[in-house]
């Protein structure tokens, strides 16, 4: 999360909207805030914390290389052997503490921790104004959390979400099985068309 989607989101929502970004890695967070400053964005709040199923400190596993995007709440394939403690927060707790009453859109790519983050957002996901979701899912990465391939879609389905794959893999069989990341769009009931 170096801010590419924050910049796009900031411009999309304009002065009447706000973007909230979360990044647990200290080095990536520095890149994110630098990018926000370079682009002069005033409607983005950057948070150096991890999204979790329960709020509180968590262990964050650092990957090798300064530009590695695979640091996570579980050791990755390029785990450096180093960990740090970071703040963890649920989306529901964050929104409650920040006085956010409605979230329209969530874009998430958090290296296998998506199920935990969505478990920490059940208030948002069950609200009448539930957000549209775009998230990356990678079966091998999720398995580091003990998560089955269908766990995220099953959880989201309990809230009435309809899910479809995005990009070049949409509508086609996935080659490479769980070893291929895929991006998904999840639409809440109020935004579904008959």
């Amino acid at each position: 999360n170096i801010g590419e989607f924050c910049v796009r989101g900031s411009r999309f929502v304009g002065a009447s909207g706000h973007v909230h970004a979360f990044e647990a890695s200290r080095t990536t967070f520095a890149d994110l805030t630098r990018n926000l400053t370079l682009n002069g964005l005033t409607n983005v709040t950057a948070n150096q914390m991890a999204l979790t199923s329960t709020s509180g400190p968590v262990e964050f596993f650092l990957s090798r290389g300064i530009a590695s995007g695979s640091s996570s709440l579980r050791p990755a394939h390029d785990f450096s052997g180093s960990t740090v403690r970071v703040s963890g927060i649920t989306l529901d707790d964050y929104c409650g503490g920040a006085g956010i009453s409605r979230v329209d859109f969530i874009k998430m790519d958090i290296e296998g921790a998506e199920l935990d983050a969505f478990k920490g957002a059940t208030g948002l996901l069950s609200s009448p104004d539930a957000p549209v979701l775009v998230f990356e899912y990678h079966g091998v990465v999720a398995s580091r959390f003990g998560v089955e391939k269908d766990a995220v879609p099953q959880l989201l389905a309990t809230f009435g979400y309809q899910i479809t794959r995005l990009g070049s893999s949409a509508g086609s069989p996935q080659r490479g099985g769980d070893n291929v990341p895929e991006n998904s769009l999840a639409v809440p009931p109020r935004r579904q068309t008959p």
Side-chain angles (χ1 to χ4, degrees):
N1 180 13
I2 62 169
E4 176 186 356
F5 291 100
C6 291
V7 171
R8 292 177 188 204
S10 169
R11 292 182 178 145
F12 181 79
V13 302
S16 64
H18 202 87
V19 174
H20 296 265
F22 299 86
E23 177 53 60
S25 166
R26 182 177 13 169
T27 55
T28 307
F29 184 78
D31 292 339
L32 166 64
T33 55
R34 188 171 23 262
N35 198 358
L36 298 177
T37 301
L38 286 171
N39 282 279
L41 303 180
T42 58
N43 63 343
V44 178
T45 300
N47 300 279
Q48 188 177 351
M49 55 184 62
L51 294 175
T52 55
S53 58
T54 57
S55 295
V58 292
E59 191 169 20
F60 190 68
F61 296 81
L62 301 173
S63 295
R64 290 188 294 271
I66 60 171
S68 174
S70 61
S71 295
S72 180
L73 298 175
R74 297 291 185 277
H77 65 283
D78 61 345
F79 177 49
S80 69
S82 298
T83 63
V84 294
R85 297 290 280 175
V86 300
S87 297
I89 194 162
T90 69
L91 277 169
D92 286 342
D93 286 349
Y94 179 81
C95 290
I100 299 169
S101 60
R102 192 182 91 214
V103 174
D104 293 315
F105 181 79
I106 294 173
K107 191 273 185 199
M108 186 181 297
D109 178 359
I110 55 175
E111 302 304 314
E114 291 80 12
L115 181 65
D116 281 348
F118 289 138
K119 285 181 176 179
T122 57
L124 281 174
L125 300 178
S126 63
S127 75
D129 291 322
V132 170
L133 312 171
V134 170
F135 62 95
E136 183 178 89
Y137 176 79
H138 193 293
V140 170
V141 176
S143 71
R144 297 179 188 136
F145 289 78
V147 173
E148 297 292 324
K149 178 168 179 60
D150 294 329
V152 170
Q154 287 173 354
L155 174 69
L156 295 177
T158 66
F159 298 104
Y161 276 86
Q162 288 184 347
I163 301 168
T164 187
R165 289 195 331 231
L166 294 173
S168 60
S169 66
S172 62
Q174 184 70 298
R175 293 183 185 176
D178 287 347
N179 200 28
V180 178
E182 55 184 53
N183 288 293
S184 295
L185 170 69
V187 180
R190 73 176 171 91
R191 296 199 181 173
Q192 296 169 12
T193 55

